[in-house]
Amino acid sequence: MPTESPTRTTPLPADRFLNRELSWLDFNARVLELAEDDTLPLLERVKFLAIFASNLDEFYMVRIAGLKRRQTTGLTVRSPDGLTIREQLELVTQRTQDLVQRQAEVFIKDITPRLEDAGIRIVHWEDLADDDARRLREYFRDQVFPVLTPLAVDPAHPFPYISGLSLNLAVSVRDPDSGVAHFARVKVPNNVPRFVQVGPVAETATFLPLEDLIAAHLPALFPGLDVVSHHLFRVTRNADLEVEEDRDEDLLQALERELARRRFGPAVRLEVTETMDPQILEVLLSEMEMKPHDVLQVPGLLDLSALWALYALDRPELKDEPFVPATHPRLSDGETPKSVFATLREGDVLLHHPYHSFATSVQRFIEQAAADPNVLAIKQTLYRTSGDSPIVTALIEAAEAGKQVVVLVEIKARFDEEANITWARSLERAGCHVVYGLVGLKTHCKTALVVRREHGVLRRYCHIGTGNYNPKTARLYEDLGILTADPRVGADLTDLFNTLTGYSRQTNYRTLMVAPHGVRAGLIEKIRREARHAGEGKPSGIRFKLNSLVDERITDALYEASGAGVPIDLLIRGICALRPGVPGMSENIRVRSIVGRFLEHSRVMSFVNDGDREFWIGSADLMHRNLDRRVEVLLRVCDESARAELHRILEAALDPDVRCWELGSDGAWTHQDGQDFQAAMLERVGELTA
């Protein structure tokens, strides 16, 4: 039960925020805990090691790069928790080194022996039998040697450019006649498999790391010289684009220029093996203008994101049971697909991916619209999509069939910029009206609008979701979406697209909250309404399901609501800057995190509202970038069956017996064992569609 407290009259304490960078590292530590969990199938544990490594790469490329950039400008602004940039970087480096040590330990001491027991071995050159070594010498000669380029470093050869995230060998060679030592760099090619097959892959599979194969053949790269030593290293560079947006310049050209620059961003992390020669390390730090605190020592293999290659092995007994996403029961009649338009005229459809199939719902909605002669227009936002996107194909076919197709392609979507530029040009060639978004803002909302003529009247059909229009991630990410023919939603999306494609400055909508003008203010107003209800003795309560909670103003509003006696439950997968359970400040707030097989990605906001519950879903996390620098959409869910289902989902996720992590008032996350929420959801959807 919530603790009744009077409305706050004293200021909130200065230490009420947790550090966002350390909170993100705590999230990645939860991913690492899954790799450490010996109750999970072995290759699933390998997968979580790869995810942990990939996450850490992006964290350094973006977040740490941003801190370092601010540090070089001399800015002395402290983070909301009071730390200077230098203090944050020191804490991040220490915490990261601890996590990388844990990652290496679980891989070397636990997972590698279990892989060997399962017939999957990673060996070194000296472990190979003579026949295997002879076969791999031929493979090196034919497939690897021609693409290698040893680069010397001397007065005639400046230190070479080291590309971001590439594996490299720092090689020390000596002239046998003069005794003079030289330094050289050999890049491990990224277009050759990282794990080289030693033998046929069947029930047993043996692999040699590519860097081991190259190291064993270094004399072939430096004939006439003695190879003294070699050391593996890897560099991470700043990959966060800063596009100077000018209304008088073509945004596409500006972005392409910045993409060309990104590969030359400053180095922000140097990963080395524990056996790295100190003199070689000194050369690397000096030449790349890095400091000793930028170095991470990694036991064993560098770049465990490469373990995805092992996860791809055809060993189903070492993975989770496969599942087939179910078609939403309202979108099919037995095995026969139903018209999405006819279904939506009967009421909204709440989709819950990956449990509900993306292909037979959202994708089918766009495909049916593209093929339907009564559809006059399709308008859609695209933030990220897949390399062979059926959504883009359908939009192109719609345009070629003479429909008006408007697509807002967000070409500033981080790490998908080049792919989105390609999509944009393909859509333009097909006759689609392509818009690149608003100056100064990223368009992050997930919306689609279809205009259809029915009996002489135009009717609008809509989709608003929490995830991207990407059929591949829709099988991996947990997301929600609404398909609706509600005229109010259709009118709102029409107004929104007019804002995105024209000069409209509309900020008020019927069923939507739209950032950057309306989401923060709208949510704070609803949080304060719950506080008023609590103070008046009326039913109150707040439940948020998010990826991240960082915004200070919303966090302070939640603290105020807690002080007024509002029970608050927060499901935060990733970063949480709020400190729960602090007497006198947040004793009515509970924070938990669910990390599992699927990436919890949906955003849901629920308010008790004196018994008239409100539910909102959408694209926005509660962070500065989402609320101030992006176009985000939250939709009020009005359909009763959809509201009831959202309530059931939140109830199930907040069940005391669910396996999760709980955040304490000291900022530490504690693992709580219990039933698997995602497995329960899979089972429930399977029962409903059986």
Side-chain angles (χ1 to χ4, degrees), residues 14-251:
D15 64 349
R16 63 191 184 276
F17 300 117
L18 299 171
N19 184 268
R20 64 165 291 166
E21 318 303 345
L22 297 177
S23 182
W24 185 92
L25 287 173
D26 286 340
F27 155 65
N28 214 25
R30 297 194 287 280
V31 175
L32 184 56
E33 281 191 54
L34 294 175
E36 295 168 330
D37 186 350
D38 61 8
T39 67
L40 296 180
L42 183 57
L43 285 181
E44 298 300 330
R45 298 177 65 192
V46 168
K47 176 189 74 177
F48 285 118
L49 280 179
I51 292 172
F52 171 88
S54 298
N55 285 349
L56 201 57
D57 286 346
E58 185 170 333
F59 176 67
Y60 268 83
M61 286 190 290
V62 178
R63 291 301 310 170
I64 300 307
L67 284 177
K68 287 179 178 289
R69 184 174 62 244
R70 290 167 59 195
Q71 189 179 42
T72 59
T73 63
L75 291 174
T76 57
V77 178
R78 293 177 180 266
S79 58
D81 58 313
L83 296 178
T84 65
I85 294 176
R86 181 180 59 80
E87 289 169 336
Q88 291 183 79
L89 290 173
E90 288 176 354
L91 289 170
V92 163
T93 299
Q94 179 183 344
R95 178 82 167 116
T96 303
Q97 184 66 67
D98 292 342
L99 289 174
V100 167
Q101 201 75 26
R102 269 177 60 187
Q103 178 198 30
E105 187 165 319
V106 68
F107 178 61
I108 295 168
K109 296 183 179 180
D110 185 9
I111 289 180
T112 296
R114 292 174 187 261
L115 286 171
E116 291 188 359
D117 291 342
I120 302 171
R121 299 175 63 220
I122 299 175
V123 298
H124 297 292
W125 181 260
E126 58 270 20
D127 301 325
L128 297 177
D130 290 344
D131 286 347
D132 291 330
R134 182 170 57 255
R135 187 165 54 251
L136 288 184
R137 285 192 191 97
E138 295 175 0
Y139 174 81
F140 175 83
R141 183 193 64 208
D142 298 337
Q143 303 294 328
V144 181
F145 182 78
V147 299
L148 296 179
T149 305
L151 296 173
V153 178
D154 57 32
H157 301 85
F159 191 84
Y161 166 75
I162 309 294
S163 53
L165 302 185
S166 64
L167 277 176
N168 301 270
L169 288 167
V171 185
S172 177
V173 295
R174 181 184 295 119
D175 186 320
D177 298 327
S178 67
V180 175
H182 299 279
F183 173 88
R185 171 259 192 163
V186 178
K187 179 179 178 178
V188 178
N190 56 12
N191 53 0
V192 177
R194 171 74 184 282
F195 294 113
V196 181
Q197 292 182 22
V198 174
V201 176
E203 289 303 309
T204 61
T206 303
F207 298 96
L208 177 75
L210 180 58
E211 60 268 28
D212 272 38
L213 179 64
I214 295 171
H217 293 83
L218 285 175
L221 293 170
F222 301 97
L225 298 176
D226 297 329
V227 177
V228 178
S229 65
H230 65 270
H231 303 277
L232 200 66
F233 69 96
R234 184 172 183 257
V235 173
T236 307
R237 294 186 176 276
N238 182 340
D240 198 18
L241 288 176
E242 287 188 287
V243 182
E244 295 294 331
E245 297 186 46
D246 188 322
R247 291 183 184 274
D248 297 325
E249 182 182 23
D250 186 298
L251 179 59

Side-chain angles (χ1 to χ4, degrees), residues 298-336:
V298 181
L301 287 175
L302 263 61
D303 185 18
L304 291 189
S305 66
L307 292 176
W308 280 111
L310 297 189
Y311 183 76
L313 292 173
D314 185 19
R315 297 292 299 274
E317 75 279 12
L318 301 179
K319 301 180 184 180
D320 285 328
E321 286 285 328
F323 81 100
V324 177
T327 295
H328 193 287
R330 290 196 48 222
L331 294 176
S332 68
D333 186 2
E335 297 296 318
T336 305

Side-chain angles (χ1 to χ4, degrees), residues 326-576:
T327 295
H328 193 287
R330 290 196 48 222
L331 294 176
S332 68
D333 186 2
E335 297 296 318
T336 305
K338 292 173 63 176
S339 163
V340 177
F341 305 119
T343 300
L344 297 186
R345 287 194 292 271
E346 299 168 359
D348 296 356
V349 174
L350 177 73
L351 303 167
H352 196 188
H353 309 297
Y355 315 109
H356 290 139
S357 167
F358 179 88
T360 60
S361 57
V362 180
Q363 180 180 321
R364 182 177 292 167
F365 171 54
I366 302 300
E367 289 174 339
Q368 286 187 358
D372 190 331
N374 293 317
V375 168
L376 305 180
I378 304 173
K379 302 182 181 184
Q380 188 165 5
T381 59
L382 287 180
Y383 190 73
R384 301 185 197 276
T385 189
S386 61
D388 52 350
S389 174
I391 296 286
V392 174
T393 300
L395 294 172
I396 289 173
E397 291 173 353
E400 291 173 343
K403 294 175 171 55
Q404 179 171 306
V405 179
V406 178
V407 188
L408 194 144
V409 180
E410 182 46 78
I411 57 173
K412 292 172 288 184
R414 183 181 291 136
F415 302 125
D416 277 337
E417 299 95 344
E418 293 186 55
N420 284 7
I421 289 172
T422 300
W423 287 128
R425 288 184 166 144
S426 297
L427 290 161
E428 284 178 327
R429 284 194 297 270
C432 299
H433 301 290
V434 179
V435 182
Y436 300 129
L438 303 177
V439 173
L441 299 173
K442 282 186 181 180
T443 304
H444 189 246
C445 54
K446 328 296 183 183
T447 58
L449 171 66
V450 171
V451 181
R452 189 172 188 264
R453 181 184 288 118
E454 298 176 1
H455 308 295
V457 177
L458 296 187
R459 187 158 190 168
R460 290 173 285 204
Y461 297 87
C462 312
H463 174 264
I464 295 178
T466 68
N468 298 308
Y469 291 106
N470 187 325
K472 292 183 178 177
T473 57
R475 292 181 63 93
L476 304 172
Y477 289 16
E478 178 273 342
D479 271 303
L480 291 160
I482 287 277
L483 286 167
T484 181
D486 186 327
R488 296 168 298 175
V489 180
D492 277 346
L493 281 193
T494 299
D495 291 343
L496 176 63
F497 275 104
N498 287 343
T499 299
L500 295 175
T501 62
Y503 287 113
S504 168
R505 294 188 176 182
Q506 179 161 336
T507 57
N508 295 317
Y509 297 85
R510 305 156 189 82
T511 61
L512 305 181
M513 286 189 277
V514 179
H517 302 291
V519 172
R520 180 188 285 111
L523 289 177
I524 289 176
E525 188 278 325
K526 295 177 189 309
I527 293 168
R528 289 175 176 166
R529 182 188 63 193
E530 296 302 310
R532 290 195 301 271
H533 287 163
E536 296 166 0
K538 298 177 180 178
S540 66
I542 296 171
R543 289 175 169 178
F544 286 177
K545 182 180 182 298
L546 305 163
N547 294 298
S548 300
L549 171 60
V550 173
D551 189 74
E552 292 86 10
R553 289 167 58 189
I554 289 179
T555 301
D556 280 349
L558 291 170
Y559 285 144
E560 297 284 355
S562 172
V566 180
I568 301 171
D569 284 300
L570 304 175
L571 282 160
I572 313 290
R573 186 201 78 220
I575 305 169
C576 181

